[in-house]
Amino acid sequence: MLKLKYIHATSTILSSPIEYLKGVGPQRADLLKKELGIFTFQDLLDHFPYRHIDRTRVSLVSDIGLHTDHIQVAGVLVNVDVTGDKRTKRLTAQIKDKSGFLELTWFQGISWVQKMLQPGQTYLVYGRVGFFQNRPQIVHPELELLNQQQPDAKSWLEPVYPTTEKLKVRGLGGRQIAKLTQVLMSMLKERDLSENIPADITRQVKLVDRFTAYSQIHFPPDPEAFSRAVSRLKFEELFIAQLRMNLLRSSRHRFSKGVVFDKVGDTFNTFYKEYLPFDLTGAQKRVMKEIRADTARGRQMNRLLQGDVGSGKTIVALLTILLAIDNGYQACLMAPTEILARQHYATIQDLLEKMEVPVMLLTGSTRSANRKKILKDLKEGELKILIGTHAVIEDVVQFSNLGIVIIDEQHRFGVAQRARLWKKAVVPPHVLVMTATPIPRTLAMTAYGDLDYSVIDELPPGRQPITTVHRNETQRSKVMTFLRAEIDKGRQVYIIFPLIEESDKLDYENLMRGYETVKGYFPEPKYWISMVHGRQPSAQKELNMKRFVEGDTQIMVSTTVIEVGVNVPNATVMVIESAEKFGLSQLHQLRGRVGRGAEKSYCIFLTGSNLGNDARERIKIMVSTSDGFAIAEKDLELRGPGDIEGTRQSGALDFKLANIVLDRPLLEMARNLALTVLEADPELVSADNLQLKKFLIESKGHLTWSKIS
Ligand code: ADP
Ligand code: MG
């Protein structure tokens, strides 16, 4: 990526092992490594305080009002007491200042805290104020002995560091970490923390220099200096991450070889002109153009295709497959579940019915005679399209000339699994990853910034909005009456039960009970019910699914195994039982199973009547909007980025300071500036970018996310 030739990575003082810092030594070093992941001087410098104690702002107990949030008071510790037993056991104490008493309470670590407390001494106390029986109290306060000799901090704002109980016991509490950091800071010269961001940008964004930022994030002279230091370091973090990601992408663009799809031939044209059952939407056309441009130029395509549920990704996949075939290559379409793979197979077989293009399905349950034939045809190049589950990545599956791999709902596939697919061809095949999980823009540019990105942001014409309502348990029979009316009109309905973990016994029993209840409301032979869940043998699953798809059953009782991809346009009602147990994006995926045909569709969330705040909020959002991207943004806000599916292990979101939700404006600025820099100087060879390049090389960074190539 970057040429190392002219720049020698030098070891700096900051890469010194932490045991060499004065006051640390081998034993404490071990603890710092184990407990806080601090291995080097740099790591200690990057261990940022989570708050500062402002010695100038000590309130009186009597200042506490109903709206006081956090408070810092100073006073004598009195009345330390342990009450209750086992479950209700708690430690209480009071802080007494000249204006009154403030209650302190601990529920955990009671014996340890009790040992530490010294009644009669003066403490500085900080914490969130709560009210218990109308009296203010702080639960698990931060306490600090206020002895005569104050620490020799130069600033008024004293840093407080995250630490652990173990470290505290071994004399490495927040206070001692502050001491160590101070020792380290005093050893450093400006050049040890020299500027890595080009001067233009530091001027434009008004960033304080790097040395000042590090020194003042730990020991700020005043709150303003602290926030300047934080923004500088956040910006740096985001800017560097964006640079790395875009360098990765552009180097892939320049150096990766790929098979060339430069012809549009008979297969594609015949299908397009004669058998395509509808006109493509504008968005579908645009994406096809992007894919064609990408696959024609001799480098490997790595493209993420996002399109909300029902936006029509399957047809884009098929057209891409036909393009590969016209250029003499084979194609593979991979789906996360057997149900989905079968459905893709059925859809594509249907669409290609009048054409002579061999398509086969390979899953875990493919019979061995059939499997043998598939493997043989594949290897000899007779078979052009292979559709399947993860069974297609097994080593025995060998292609003659694989040109493209399309992965539906990629977040269910691991990186290692994907890597095995690329090994199936000499030149790595093109890769198109399709997902209906709407990834908010911020997240996409952070987590998947090294992929090319297409989006289908338009639904096929004629879709009616889905009416979504929230009903509670007591309204169940009304809901069932509504279902009956829809079914009697010839429609089909889904009733979904939570089964988050397929092995969860309780949920399983709920599902079975639910099934019996539904059967009670909808007796045979007038009504027929399909049931699908993760514990069924796949043949049974498939049969049930098939009966529903073909309209032999009117009701599908299921768990989330049908969550992605299933397409039954005649189904118009989706009931979600215990909807409070589902996450936002899951609810959105589920709702996307209806509203796929010409008839008006409904989605009904059934919940208990006592909902927690979060659950209530989620349902409210779902009722108020059907925009997948808006929902994903909310999801990100409610759960935080660490929890978004598919990004959990990516490492891409592990920022020390920046938060991609809260710091979005900064992220966007950092991204734009990184792109500007690279556009002007793609290999960072200009003098202005020398320091930056040196930094990128020396700090290898944590580029561990899923690199799809
Ligand atoms: P998803 O993006 O969720 O995978 P599908 O590919 O399953 O969506 O498409 C959903 C439905 O929309 C299918 O029934 C499909 O035939 C239909 N569809 C796709 N594209 C169009 C279009 N351009 N015009 C009309 N219907 C379309
Ligand atoms: Mg799909």
Side-chain angles (χ1 to χ4, degrees):
M1 176 210 309
L2 290 171
K3 290 198 199 99
L4 284 160
K5 221 167 23 185
Y6 305 108
I7 297 171
H8 299 282
T10 44
S11 72
T12 61
I13 179 171
L14 287 172
S15 53
S16 315
I18 195 67
E19 46 264 54
Y20 297 151
L21 187 67
K22 192 173 151 243
V24 179
Q27 273 167 14
R28 285 176 147 194
D30 269 359
L31 275 171
L32 285 171
K33 288 175 198 171
K34 269 200 212 103
E35 297 285 304
L36 298 174
I38 295 175
F39 289 82
T40 63
F41 287 11
Q42 178 75 57
D43 293 339
L44 180 63
L45 215 51
D46 286 336
H47 188 64
F48 299 117
Y50 64 92
R51 76 176 195 95
H52 287 84
I53 298 177
D54 184 350
R55 300 272 170 206
T56 60
R57 216 178 290 163
V58 177
S59 311
L60 290 174
V61 171
S62 60
D63 292 339
I64 296 175
L66 266 180
H67 300 290
T68 307
D69 186 32
H70 285 78
I71 197 164
Q72 175 165 273
V73 297
V76 180
L77 185 76
V78 293
N79 299 332
V80 178
D81 194 13
V82 176
T83 58
D85 58 340
K86 281 198 183 128
R87 290 268 214 74
T88 60
K89 193 169 168 185
R90 62 172 71 188
L91 172 65
T92 54
Q94 285 176 321
I95 266 303
K96 172 180 175 297
D97 71 6
K98 66 180 182 210
S99 74
F101 291 86
L102 173 64
E103 191 98 6
L104 310 177
T105 308
W106 289 262
F107 298 103
Q108 269 143 32
I110 291 177
S111 56
W112 188 80
V113 177
Q114 196 178 10
K115 248 182 260 159
M116 301 293 289
L117 292 181
Q118 303 176 33
Q121 295 286 349
T122 303
Y123 281 87
L124 192 63
V125 180
Y126 176 86
R128 161 172 261 139
V129 179
F131 285 85
F132 182 65
Q133 292 171 346
N134 278 331
R135 289 212 318 250
Q137 67 160 352
I138 300 182
V139 175
H140 285 251
E142 288 172 28
L143 274 191
E144 207 184 322
L145 213 48
L146 262 189
N147 27 21
Q148 297 70 17
Q149 39 174 356
Q150 281 305 303
D152 47 355
K154 290 192 197 83
S155 63
W156 278 100
L157 291 170
E158 258 185 59
V160 183
Y161 292 90
T163 179
T164 66
E165 295 303 325
K166 236 192 198 146
L167 285 174
K168 276 188 205 158
V169 179
R170 306 287 192 85
L172 279 172
R175 172 58 56 78
Q176 283 83 6
I177 292 178
K179 265 263 163 61
L180 295 177
T181 308
Q182 218 174 354
V183 169
L184 175 57
M185 242 5 265
S186 69
M187 288 162 60
L188 297 178
K189 310 246 162 36
E190 295 244 357
R191 67 175 149 80
D192 298 319
L193 286 164
S194 57
E195 192 50 73
N196 52 6
I197 297 177
D200 271 9
I201 295 179
T202 56
R203 250 192 319 268
Q204 190 184 333
V205 191
K206 299 203 175 67
L207 299 175
V208 293
D209 68 85
R210 202 152 177 264
F211 184 85
T212 308
Y214 265 109
S215 114
Q216 298 192 343
I217 195 171
H218 291 286
F219 307 105
D222 53 60
E224 291 71 34
F226 174 72
S227 38
R228 281 194 301 270
V230 171
S231 345
R232 143 85 212 199
L233 293 172
K234 276 183 180 173
F235 180 87
E236 174 182 324
E237 202 171 28
L238 295 166
F239 179 73
I240 297 291
Q242 286 299 323
L243 269 177
R244 283 192 197 286
M245 208 136 49
N246 285 290
L247 278 165
L248 200 68
R249 181 167 66 173
S250 62
S251 81
R252 209 190 61 232
H253 282 182
R254 270 178 297 154
F255 302 121
S256 81
K257 281 220 165 53
V259 296
V260 180
F261 298 171
D262 56 358
K263 289 194 284 282
V264 177
D266 282 352
T267 324
F268 187 101
N269 282 331
T270 308
F271 176 77
Y272 199 90
K273 286 187 196 128
E274 318 220 344
Y275 304 118
L276 187 64
F278 37 67
D279 292 331
L280 293 186
T281 61
Q284 285 168 325
K285 282 188 190 153
R286 190 188 63 233
V287 170
M288 276 317 296
K289 268 199 199 123
E290 287 164 354
I291 291 172
R292 281 186 51 192
D294 226 15
T295 52
R297 61 177 67 145
R299 64 169 164 83
Q300 187 203 14
M301 172 174 79
N302 260 282
R303 189 168 280 281
L304 178 68
L305 170 57
Q306 270 207 295
D308 209 346
V309 284
S311 62
K313 293 183 292 295
T314 316
I315 203 73
V316 170
L318 178 59
L319 289 169
T320 308
I321 287 171
L322 298 181
L323 191 64
I325 294 173
D326 271 342
N327 287 275
Y329 291 95
Q330 294 168 301
C332 178
L333 171 58
M334 210 157 120
T337 62
E338 173 129 7
I339 289 177
L340 205 52
R342 282 178 188 283
Q343 188 184 282
H344 275 319
Y345 178 62
T347 307
I348 288 181
Q349 247 191 342
D350 235 26
L351 288 164
L352 296 180
E353 197 187 353
K354 304 228 172 62
M355 295 180 55
E356 275 166 22
V357 183
V359 191
M360 291 293 236
L361 175 73
L362 182 69
T363 70
S365 51
T366 305
R367 294 282 156 75
S368 87
N370 197 6
R371 171 181 301 262
K372 263 200 193 122
K373 171 139 176 54
I374 291 175
L375 295 182
K376 180 168 170 286
D377 287 359
L378 206 56
K379 201 164 175 188
E380 289 171 359
E382 294 293 308
L383 180 55
K384 295 299 179 195
I385 307 176
L386 181 66
I387 297 175
T389 54
H390 57 274
V392 304
I393 67 173
E394 282 164 22
D395 287 336
V396 292
V397 181
Q398 289 176 7
F399 293 81
S400 139
N401 54 354
L402 179 61
I404 180 143
V405 177
I406 299 177
I407 302 175
D408 201 13
E409 292 303 329
Q410 65 94 210
H411 56 269
R412 309 242 169 144
F413 281 112
V415 179
Q417 286 176 314
R418 274 180 261 151
R420 286 175 69 180
L421 258 174
W422 320 159
K423 284 200 221 130
K424 294 182 183 298
V426 187
V427 177
H430 296 302
V431 180
L432 180 66
V433 171
M434 307 197 295
T435 177
T437 306
I439 303 169
R441 217 175 97 77
T442 338
L443 200 60
M445 69 168 72
T446 312
Y448 299 99
D450 60 330
L451 298 188
D452 296 302
Y453 178 74
S454 290
V455 57
I456 305 186
D457 49 7
E458 179 187 353
L459 291 180
R463 295 274 166 84
Q464 294 191 42
I466 302 165
T467 298
T468 301
V469 296
H470 176 199
R471 296 284 180 263
N472 70 39
E473 201 48 47
T474 59
Q475 296 159 301
R476 174 175 298 273
S477 71
K478 260 194 174 158
V479 170
M480 293 301 149
T481 307
F482 176 73
L483 296 193
R484 189 170 299 131
E486 279 291 299
I487 293 171
D488 291 349
K489 279 194 259 169
R491 306 285 109 76
Q492 288 164 283
V493 307
Y494 291 100
I495 303 176
I496 307 294
F497 286 81
L499 195 61
I500 314 297
E501 295 288 327
E502 296 294 359
S503 61
D504 193 322
K505 195 158 164 265
L506 237 167
D507 276 343
Y508 181 74
E509 281 164 10
N510 265 341
L511 171 71
M512 291 307 154
R513 216 173 308 125
Y515 175 68
E516 292 304 322
T517 312
V518 175
K519 250 175 130 172
Y521 280 103
F522 297 98
E524 293 172 5
K526 185 162 183 211
Y527 302 99
W528 298 95
I529 306 175
S530 280
M531 178 162 66
V532 172
H533 60 80
R535 287 190 177 184
Q536 282 168 329
S538 62
Q540 198 180 338
K541 240 190 265 177
E542 191 212 336
L543 180 69
N544 274 298
M545 201 61 225
K546 186 161 169 267
R547 294 185 68 207
F548 187 68
V549 171
E550 290 174 357
D552 294 340
T553 57
Q554 303 102 320
I555 301 170
M556 165 62 80
V557 171
S558 140
T559 62
T560 52
V561 292
I562 61 115
E563 178 185 337
V564 284
V566 174
N567 189 30
V568 181
N570 189 47
T572 56
V573 188
M574 158 92 24
V575 178
I576 300 179
E577 296 270 357
S578 308
E580 71 272 22
K581 290 196 182 174
F582 295 84
L584 270 179
S585 53
Q586 219 175 6
L587 291 173
H588 179 67
Q589 289 292 324
L590 286 166
R591 180 167 60 184
R593 298 307 109 215
V594 295
R596 302 172 83 84
E599 305 300 334
K600 170 102 192 106
S601 291
Y602 305 86
C603 181
I604 302 166
F605 297 126
L606 267 176
T607 68
S609 30
N610 274 328
L611 286 186
N613 283 343
D614 279 4
R616 190 172 298 282
E617 177 73 16
R618 283 198 299 273
I619 307 243
K620 208 172 102 195
I621 292 164
M622 290 302 298
V623 170
S624 68
T625 181
S626 61
D627 176 344
F629 284 88
I631 290 168
E633 296 277 348
K634 280 286 178 195
D635 205 18
L636 192 58
E637 242 169 69
L638 288 179
R639 297 198 298 173
D643 252 2
I644 299 290
E645 254 181 302
T647 62
R648 210 158 311 169
Q649 288 124 18
S650 74
L653 306 172
D654 284 350
F655 292 114
K656 292 200 180 80
L657 285 171
N659 173 314
I660 62 160
V661 180
L662 302 176
D663 298 319
R664 178 186 310 207
L666 203 61
L667 170 61
E668 291 188 356
M669 185 156 63
R671 177 176 171 81
N672 291 337
L673 289 166
L675 291 174
T676 313
V677 167
L678 288 174
E679 203 167 298
D681 182 13
E683 295 192 56
L684 303 180
V685 289
S686 82
D688 290 346
N689 297 328
L690 192 69
Q691 281 302 105
L692 177 59
K693 183 168 184 169
K694 191 160 179 276
F695 181 83
L696 285 170
I697 291 168
E698 284 176 358
S699 67
K700 278 169 243 71
H702 29 248
L703 200 90
T704 52
W705 59 80
S706 52
K707 201 180 124 196
I708 305 185
S709 62

